[in-house]
Amino acid sequence: MNRTLGIRYVLFGLLFVLVAIGLVAKSYVMLAILAVAGIILAVIGDRIENRPTDAYRQYNELHHRKGHN
């Protein structure tokens, strides 16, 4: 998981940079476009972060279905 740490930080950092550029531009259209682009980058970063645990997702669902007694 540490192999993707740099990529994740860059993608999440780009989210904030894009929104900041949109705010500085003082254009609602530019802000909206850059915010959507930033959200897309954040979703990609989240998928990269969660990819190593996707193989175990089925076990989490089984565990939560049984409940905690």
Side-chain angles (χ1 to χ4, degrees):
M1 217 187 308
N2 286 332
R3 295 183 319 195
T4 62
L5 188 65
I7 295 170
R8 288 184 282 144
Y9 281 147
V10 168
L11 289 175
F12 288 122
L14 281 174
L15 165 68
F16 295 108
V17 169
L18 290 175
V19 171
I21 291 170
L23 289 171
V24 170
K26 295 182 181 178
S27 166
Y28 288 118
V29 174
M30 180 73 94
L31 176 60
I33 291 170
L34 293 176
V36 169
I39 290 169
I40 291 169
L41 289 175
V43 168
I44 292 169
D46 185 57
R47 288 188 185 224
I48 290 171
E49 183 176 0
N50 291 326
R51 186 175 296 142
T53 59
D54 281 345
Y56 305 104
R57 185 173 298 184
Q58 63 184 344
Y59 301 119
N60 291 339
E61 290 174 7
L62 276 173
H63 176 72
H64 292 297
R65 249 188 266 151
K66 290 181 182 179
H68 297 278
N69 294 331

